[in-house]
Amino acid sequence: MPEAVPKKRGAGRRPYAAPGKTRAGRPSRTAPDGAQAEGPAQTAQERLQKFLAHAGIASRRAAESLIVEGRVKVNGRIVNELGAKIDPARDAVSVDDRPVHVERPLHFAFHKPCRVLCTCRDAAGRPTVLDYFANVAQRVYTVGRLDWDAEGLIFVTNDGAFAQRVGHPSNTVPKVYVVEVTGRVTRPEIERMRHGVRHEGELLRAAGVKVLSAAARGSRLEVTLHGGRNRHIKRMFEALGHETNSIVRVSIGGVRLGTLKPGKHRRLTSTEIESFGGTT
C-alpha cells in the first residue's frame, strides 16, 4: 500500500473548451489553458483533414467539406486544399476562427495497490485508481478492472481504440496472476481448473495454471486467464475448497509489472502499445 492516498481528481480543474462538434453532436475536447502536453513532441506531417478528425471536430469526410468551404485556417490563413499537411506540434489550426487542439494519446502501466477501486469515483470516499492520476490534464480511465482486494498491473489511458483492443473479450489477451491460497493444490485440481469448475451456476476456467510452490499450509501458483468474470480466481479456488490469500496481476499480454511499485505508474513504450495491434 502507498504511504498516503493521493488527492481526489477534479479539485480546481478547469473544464475543456469546445471549439467544434463531433459526429455525435457533442463538443470536442481541448486541453485546459496552460496545460502541458505529455510525452515526446509530435513532429511528423499530418493531413489536415486527418488532424481535424482526430480532434473530434468531424468525420474525415466532413472535415474535407470544412476545408473546401474555406472554414479552416492554418496559422491564420485559409487553407482550402485537401492535400495540405500540417505539423500538429507547431501549426495553429482553427475552424470558424475557433482554435483546434488534439488530445495527445496517453498509455500508462499502473501498479494498482490492494484496496483501491477501478472506478472514476466512489460514493463512500474509498480511494480509486484515478486518484493517482490527479495531475494528468487529460481525462483518463482504466482498461478493464482488477478486484478491489487484488493488486498488480492495470492500464490507464485516454485512447478508446487501445482500450478496445486490450479489453474486449474476443481478443483473448492473456493476463497472468500470482496467487496464494490455503492448502496444497493437487494435480487433479489443476486439471479441473483448466477444464472449468462450476461456481454459482457459472463455468470458471483458467487458460493455464503453474504451481510455483505447494505445501500443506498453502500453495503459490501462476494462473493465466483469457478475459475473466467477477472475482474469477477467488471463486474458482473457492469451488475447490481453497481460500485465496492474495492475488497479484503480473502481466497483460507482453507487458510485465516488473519492479513497478504499488501506487506508481510509467508510460507504455511504443513497442508495448504496438504489441496489441495499434500504433503510436
Side-chain angles (χ1 to χ4, degrees):
M1 290 289 292
E3 295 182 0
V5 175
K7 65 181 182 180
K8 292 285 182 181
R9 282 177 67 88
R13 293 271 302 276
R14 297 181 65 183
Y16 287 112
K21 290 187 176 181
T22 65
R23 282 169 287 180
R26 294 172 294 183
S28 61
R29 299 244 303 268
T30 307
D33 294 342
Q36 298 296 315
E38 300 204 12
Q42 184 176 350
T43 58
Q45 294 287 307
E46 185 175 15
R47 286 187 179 275
L48 183 54
Q49 59 264 40
K50 183 178 179 182
F51 171 83
L52 294 174
H54 282 174
I57 300 302
S59 68
R60 194 173 302 189
R61 180 169 296 181
E64 291 174 352
S65 296
L66 292 174
I67 295 170
V68 172
E69 292 167 7
R71 297 169 61 185
V72 181
K73 291 181 180 179
V74 177
N75 300 325
R77 300 180 63 180
I78 293 176
V79 174
N80 53 17
E81 297 178 2
L82 294 181
K85 292 186 177 182
I86 65 162
D87 182 344
R90 299 182 181 183
D91 293 325
V93 180
S94 64
V95 174
D96 296 334
D97 293 320
R98 289 175 291 188
V100 176
H101 302 278
V102 170
E103 189 174 83
R104 189 177 302 279
L106 300 175
H107 310 86
F108 296 103
F110 176 64
H111 186 156
K112 186 189 89 66
C114 189
R115 298 180 179 84
V116 170
L117 295 170
C118 294
T119 186
C120 294
R121 61 183 62 86
D122 179 59
R126 291 173 295 180
T128 75
V129 168
L130 298 190
D131 294 340
Y132 292 83
F133 293 83
N135 294 327
V136 175
Q138 291 93 324
R139 174 188 175 274
V140 293
Y141 46 86
T142 60
V143 179
R145 293 180 178 271
L146 194 55
D147 288 346
W148 172 76
D149 53 355
E151 70 170 281
L153 182 63
I154 193 166
F155 295 152
V156 176
T157 187
N158 64 345
D159 184 344
F162 172 79
Q164 177 74 3
R165 291 193 302 272
V166 175
H168 198 278
S170 65
N171 293 333
T172 62
V173 173
K175 300 175 179 68
V176 181
Y177 305 77
V178 172
V179 185
E180 294 183 0
V181 301
T182 58
R184 185 188 296 274
V185 177
T186 65
R187 186 173 297 277
E189 288 174 330
I190 292 174
E191 289 303 312
R192 285 186 62 190
M193 283 188 282
R194 287 173 175 160
H195 288 90
V197 297
R198 289 206 170 271
H199 184 276
E200 297 178 350
E202 287 188 290
L203 186 66
L204 305 174
R205 182 182 290 111
V209 182
K210 178 182 178 182
V211 176
L212 303 177
S213 63
R217 292 189 196 176
S219 302
R220 188 166 179 264
L221 307 100
E222 182 181 273
V223 178
T224 301
L225 299 182
H226 289 162
R229 302 177 184 274
N230 183 41
R231 299 177 58 250
H232 190 127
I233 292 175
K234 276 191 169 185
R235 293 167 61 202
M236 190 165 53
F237 280 105
E238 183 180 330
L240 297 173
H242 299 279
E243 181 180 347
T244 303
N245 294 327
S246 70
I247 300 174
V248 181
R249 184 153 69 193
V250 295
S251 71
I252 302 173
V255 181
R256 297 195 61 81
L257 182 65
T259 58
L260 196 62
K261 301 297 183 183
K264 300 297 182 180
H265 63 262
R266 67 169 178 83
R267 290 289 190 92
L268 291 180
T269 67
S270 58
T271 301
E272 289 172 332
I273 297 169
E274 290 165 4
S275 71
F276 295 100
T279 57
T280 54

PDB file of all heavy atoms in Angstrom, residues 234-246:
ATOM      1  N   LYS A 234     -10.823 -16.052  -7.262  1.00  0.00           N
ATOM      2  CA  LYS A 234     -11.283 -16.407  -5.918  1.00  0.00           C
ATOM      3  C   LYS A 234     -12.374 -17.464  -5.966  1.00  0.00           C
ATOM      4  O   LYS A 234     -12.354 -18.436  -5.197  1.00  0.00           O
ATOM      5  CB  LYS A 234     -11.813 -15.167  -5.197  1.00  0.00           C
ATOM      6  CG  LYS A 234     -10.749 -14.320  -4.529  1.00  0.00           C
ATOM      7  CD  LYS A 234     -11.413 -13.287  -3.645  1.00  0.00           C
ATOM      8  CE  LYS A 234     -10.373 -12.634  -2.770  1.00  0.00           C
ATOM      9  NZ  LYS A 234     -10.986 -11.709  -1.798  1.00  0.00           N
ATOM     10  N   ARG A 235     -13.326 -17.276  -6.846  1.00  0.00           N
ATOM     11  CA  ARG A 235     -14.447 -18.211  -6.939  1.00  0.00           C
ATOM     12  C   ARG A 235     -14.003 -19.575  -7.449  1.00  0.00           C
ATOM     13  O   ARG A 235     -14.523 -20.617  -7.032  1.00  0.00           O
ATOM     14  CB  ARG A 235     -15.525 -17.626  -7.840  1.00  0.00           C
ATOM     15  CG  ARG A 235     -16.199 -16.389  -7.259  1.00  0.00           C
ATOM     16  CD  ARG A 235     -17.015 -15.662  -8.305  1.00  0.00           C
ATOM     17  NE  ARG A 235     -18.067 -16.519  -8.831  1.00  0.00           N
ATOM     18  CZ  ARG A 235     -18.646 -16.342 -10.004  1.00  0.00           C
ATOM     19  NH1 ARG A 235     -18.257 -15.350 -10.802  1.00  0.00           N
ATOM     20  NH2 ARG A 235     -19.600 -17.157 -10.396  1.00  0.00           N
ATOM     21  N   MET A 236     -13.028 -19.582  -8.341  1.00  0.00           N
ATOM     22  CA  MET A 236     -12.531 -20.843  -8.878  1.00  0.00           C
ATOM     23  C   MET A 236     -11.872 -21.681  -7.779  1.00  0.00           C
ATOM     24  O   MET A 236     -12.133 -22.886  -7.649  1.00  0.00           O
ATOM     25  CB  MET A 236     -11.530 -20.546 -10.008  1.00  0.00           C
ATOM     26  CG  MET A 236     -11.113 -21.747 -10.817  1.00  0.00           C
ATOM     27  SD  MET A 236     -10.293 -21.231 -12.369  1.00  0.00           S
ATOM     28  CE  MET A 236      -9.023 -20.127 -11.747  1.00  0.00           C
ATOM     29  N   PHE A 237     -11.036 -21.019  -6.963  1.00  0.00           N
ATOM     30  CA  PHE A 237     -10.379 -21.750  -5.875  1.00  0.00           C
ATOM     31  C   PHE A 237     -11.366 -22.098  -4.760  1.00  0.00           C
ATOM     32  O   PHE A 237     -11.245 -23.154  -4.120  1.00  0.00           O
ATOM     33  CB  PHE A 237      -9.199 -20.947  -5.328  1.00  0.00           C
ATOM     34  CG  PHE A 237      -7.958 -21.060  -6.168  1.00  0.00           C
ATOM     35  CD1 PHE A 237      -7.562 -20.020  -6.973  1.00  0.00           C
ATOM     36  CD2 PHE A 237      -7.198 -22.226  -6.151  1.00  0.00           C
ATOM     37  CE1 PHE A 237      -6.422 -20.124  -7.768  1.00  0.00           C
ATOM     38  CE2 PHE A 237      -6.057 -22.342  -6.937  1.00  0.00           C
ATOM     39  CZ  PHE A 237      -5.671 -21.287  -7.754  1.00  0.00           C
ATOM     40  N   GLU A 238     -12.339 -21.213  -4.542  1.00  0.00           N
ATOM     41  CA  GLU A 238     -13.358 -21.499  -3.533  1.00  0.00           C
ATOM     42  C   GLU A 238     -14.133 -22.755  -3.895  1.00  0.00           C
ATOM     43  O   GLU A 238     -14.454 -23.578  -3.022  1.00  0.00           O
ATOM     44  CB  GLU A 238     -14.310 -20.305  -3.417  1.00  0.00           C
ATOM     45  CG  GLU A 238     -15.376 -20.473  -2.344  1.00  0.00           C
ATOM     46  CD  GLU A 238     -16.290 -19.259  -2.271  1.00  0.00           C
ATOM     47  OE1 GLU A 238     -15.828 -18.141  -2.574  1.00  0.00           O
ATOM     48  OE2 GLU A 238     -17.486 -19.441  -1.919  1.00  0.00           O
ATOM     49  N   ALA A 239     -14.405 -22.953  -5.179  1.00  0.00           N
ATOM     50  CA  ALA A 239     -15.124 -24.149  -5.625  1.00  0.00           C
ATOM     51  C   ALA A 239     -14.318 -25.411  -5.358  1.00  0.00           C
ATOM     52  O   ALA A 239     -14.886 -26.505  -5.240  1.00  0.00           O
ATOM     53  CB  ALA A 239     -15.446 -24.038  -7.111  1.00  0.00           C
ATOM     54  N   LEU A 240     -13.001 -25.254  -5.258  1.00  0.00           N
ATOM     55  CA  LEU A 240     -12.123 -26.410  -4.985  1.00  0.00           C
ATOM     56  C   LEU A 240     -11.775 -26.538  -3.506  1.00  0.00           C
ATOM     57  O   LEU A 240     -11.012 -27.428  -3.132  1.00  0.00           O
ATOM     58  CB  LEU A 240     -10.840 -26.276  -5.805  1.00  0.00           C
ATOM     59  CG  LEU A 240     -11.020 -26.288  -7.323  1.00  0.00           C
ATOM     60  CD1 LEU A 240      -9.697 -25.965  -8.016  1.00  0.00           C
ATOM     61  CD2 LEU A 240     -11.564 -27.626  -7.797  1.00  0.00           C
ATOM     62  N   GLY A 241     -12.314 -25.641  -2.663  1.00  0.00           N
ATOM     63  CA  GLY A 241     -12.078 -25.743  -1.221  1.00  0.00           C
ATOM     64  C   GLY A 241     -10.863 -24.987  -0.727  1.00  0.00           C
ATOM     65  O   GLY A 241     -10.402 -25.232   0.399  1.00  0.00           O
ATOM     66  N   HIS A 242     -10.343 -24.054  -1.505  1.00  0.00           N
ATOM     67  CA  HIS A 242      -9.177 -23.275  -1.092  1.00  0.00           C
ATOM     68  C   HIS A 242      -9.558 -21.803  -0.907  1.00  0.00           C
ATOM     69  O   HIS A 242     -10.254 -21.223  -1.741  1.00  0.00           O
ATOM     70  CB  HIS A 242      -8.064 -23.360  -2.137  1.00  0.00           C
ATOM     71  CG  HIS A 242      -7.558 -24.748  -2.366  1.00  0.00           C
ATOM     72  ND1 HIS A 242      -6.643 -25.361  -1.539  1.00  0.00           N
ATOM     73  CD2 HIS A 242      -7.850 -25.654  -3.345  1.00  0.00           C
ATOM     74  CE1 HIS A 242      -6.383 -26.575  -1.995  1.00  0.00           C
ATOM     75  NE2 HIS A 242      -7.104 -26.782  -3.092  1.00  0.00           N
ATOM     76  N   GLU A 243      -9.078 -21.203   0.161  1.00  0.00           N
ATOM     77  CA  GLU A 243      -9.292 -19.773   0.399  1.00  0.00           C
ATOM     78  C   GLU A 243      -8.127 -18.994  -0.215  1.00  0.00           C
ATOM     79  O   GLU A 243      -6.965 -19.380  -0.078  1.00  0.00           O
ATOM     80  CB  GLU A 243      -9.377 -19.496   1.899  1.00  0.00           C
ATOM     81  CG  GLU A 243      -9.628 -18.041   2.236  1.00  0.00           C
ATOM     82  CD  GLU A 243      -9.710 -17.800   3.732  1.00  0.00           C
ATOM     83  OE1 GLU A 243      -9.824 -18.782   4.491  1.00  0.00           O
ATOM     84  OE2 GLU A 243      -9.635 -16.611   4.137  1.00  0.00           O
ATOM     85  N   THR A 244      -8.438 -17.912  -0.890  1.00  0.00           N
ATOM     86  CA  THR A 244      -7.410 -17.099  -1.548  1.00  0.00           C
ATOM     87  C   THR A 244      -6.892 -16.035  -0.592  1.00  0.00           C
ATOM     88  O   THR A 244      -7.668 -15.254  -0.034  1.00  0.00           O
ATOM     89  CB  THR A 244      -7.974 -16.422  -2.811  1.00  0.00           C
ATOM     90  OG1 THR A 244      -8.489 -17.430  -3.685  1.00  0.00           O
ATOM     91  CG2 THR A 244      -6.897 -15.636  -3.537  1.00  0.00           C
ATOM     92  N   ASN A 245      -5.580 -15.989  -0.420  1.00  0.00           N
ATOM     93  CA  ASN A 245      -4.951 -15.015   0.474  1.00  0.00           C
ATOM     94  C   ASN A 245      -4.486 -13.757  -0.257  1.00  0.00           C
ATOM     95  O   ASN A 245      -4.564 -12.657   0.293  1.00  0.00           O
ATOM     96  CB  ASN A 245      -3.763 -15.651   1.205  1.00  0.00           C
ATOM     97  CG  ASN A 245      -4.196 -16.744   2.160  1.00  0.00           C
ATOM     98  OD1 ASN A 245      -5.273 -16.667   2.753  1.00  0.00           O
ATOM     99  ND2 ASN A 245      -3.382 -17.782   2.298  1.00  0.00           N
ATOM    100  N   SER A 246      -4.007 -13.915  -1.480  1.00  0.00           N
ATOM    101  CA  SER A 246      -3.545 -12.745  -2.232  1.00  0.00           C
ATOM    102  C   SER A 246      -3.550 -13.032  -3.721  1.00  0.00           C
ATOM    103  O   SER A 246      -3.367 -14.176  -4.148  1.00  0.00           O
ATOM    104  CB  SER A 246      -2.132 -12.326  -1.791  1.00  0.00           C
ATOM    105  OG  SER A 246      -1.171 -13.273  -2.211  1.00  0.00           O
TER     106      SER A 246
END
